[in-house]
Amino acid sequence: MKASIGGYARAETIAHALSLLGEANGAGRILAGGQSLVAALNLGTTAGDMLIDIAGIGALRGARLDGDRLIIGALTRHADIARDPLIGEHAPLLAKAAPLVAHDAIRNRGTIGGSLAYADPAAEYPACAIALGATILLEGPNGTREVAAEEFFLGLFETERAEDEILTAIAVPKATDGERHVIREAARRSGDYALAGLAVVRRDGRHRIGAFALGDRPLLCKGAMEAFDTGDVDAAVTALATDVDPTSDTQASATYRRHLAGVLLRRIAVDLGVA
């Protein structure tokens, strides 16, 4: 099937992109890496939209420090996430997640902003953002807005981003001394979407656990976190089964996904030395 679009425009600045979005009257679609959007267009799941290409806006690319936060531009590609020294030092969870994303061709084109905005519940970055306690930065006609990652993802492919806003960056607290980051996932083959996955950050003796492919959005597993903090891995696995809400599909049953989540959490406990 051939893609059907209502037009194409290349934005030169963020302000220009916002102007084009306004002119599209709700029919504008942001094109960054295009790894998800183009596939949707080709499948016919979206048609007649005005594509607004933001790939040339240099201000949306790369990582920088801003006080106690690391700011990662929305156009930073997966391959760059994996090798950027600032990200490796201050947000190693993202650097560890990047090689798990699909294949080389997609990692060289896809962007972190696109992944967050698309909000696929099986994607790694949204769960990482929740585990990191990150903030999503949005730019709209009324200025900049910040939304906590755990409040940004509303449901299947749904986010807090308004149709006249652009996701411009993700802000991550800088890693503290002794902080540990671990991500594990189970997939049928390398590059496939995960059947279950967990991203864990241990900061100041406390744990944050983000789950992906285990619900209609990335989930913060509060019950498992509390048990993990006490070192009770068995209780954490039991709580995790309640924290997540997987569905059955052609790839795996909900029961199997819950089982995989427990296996992954036990492996992460070994990684982190949790008793």
Side-chain angles (χ1 to χ4, degrees), residues 57-200:
I57 304 178
L60 297 180
R61 199 178 304 279
R64 60 182 174 84
L65 294 177
D66 181 19
D68 61 355
R69 303 197 301 180
L70 175 69
I71 309 296
I72 305 171
L75 289 182
T76 308
R77 294 176 177 172
H78 308 317
D80 296 323
I81 295 284
R83 58 182 176 237
D84 187 290
L86 281 178
I87 296 173
E89 179 180 358
H90 298 292
L93 185 64
L94 295 174
K96 293 177 179 180
L100 301 177
V101 177
H103 306 282
D104 285 345
I106 289 178
R107 290 194 288 270
N108 286 328
R109 288 293 302 169
T111 65
I112 188 170
S115 177
L116 295 170
Y118 190 58
D120 190 316
E124 291 85 0
Y125 290 146
C128 289
I130 286 177
L132 287 163
T135 303
I136 308 300
L137 277 59
L138 303 167
E139 190 77 23
N142 297 318
T144 301
R145 186 163 70 100
E146 298 192 4
V147 182
E150 60 190 271
E151 299 173 0
F152 180 72
F153 304 100
L154 303 179
L156 186 64
F157 305 120
E158 289 186 83
T159 71
E160 183 65 23
R161 184 181 71 86
E163 66 180 21
D164 60 352
E165 290 181 317
I166 296 173
L167 193 159
T168 57
I170 174 175
V172 180
K174 289 166 55 177
T176 61
D177 290 341
E179 188 166 310
R180 296 285 303 280
H181 296 192
V182 178
I183 182 169
R184 280 185 174 268
E185 68 179 35
R188 292 189 178 278
R189 297 171 301 180
S190 176
D192 283 0
Y193 277 111
L195 299 177
L198 297 174
V200 180

Side-chain angles (χ1 to χ4, degrees), residues 5-10 27-29 31 37 41 49-53:
I5 64 173
Y8 169 88
R10 188 173 179 83
R29 297 294 297 273
L31 175 63
L37 177 58
L41 290 169
D49 293 330
M50 174 71 175
L51 300 189
I52 300 168
D53 189 345

Side-chain angles (χ1 to χ4, degrees), residues 199-246:
V200 180
V201 172
R202 180 165 69 195
R203 179 180 298 150
D204 298 329
R206 306 293 295 275
H207 298 85
R208 288 180 64 88
I209 303 174
F212 53 102
L214 292 166
D216 68 348
R217 71 198 76 182
L219 303 170
L220 185 64
C221 304
K222 295 182 179 180
M225 287 160 45
E226 291 179 4
F228 229 46
D229 288 347
T230 67
D232 191 337
V233 177
D234 289 338
V237 171
T238 299
L240 181 63
T242 302
D243 288 333
V244 301
D245 186 24

Side-chain angles (χ1 to χ4, degrees), residues 9-12 15-25 28 50 52-53:
R10 188 173 179 83
E12 298 177 357
H16 185 205
L18 290 172
S19 176
L20 291 169
L21 266 182
E23 294 170 7
N25 294 318
M50 174 71 175
I52 300 168
D53 189 345

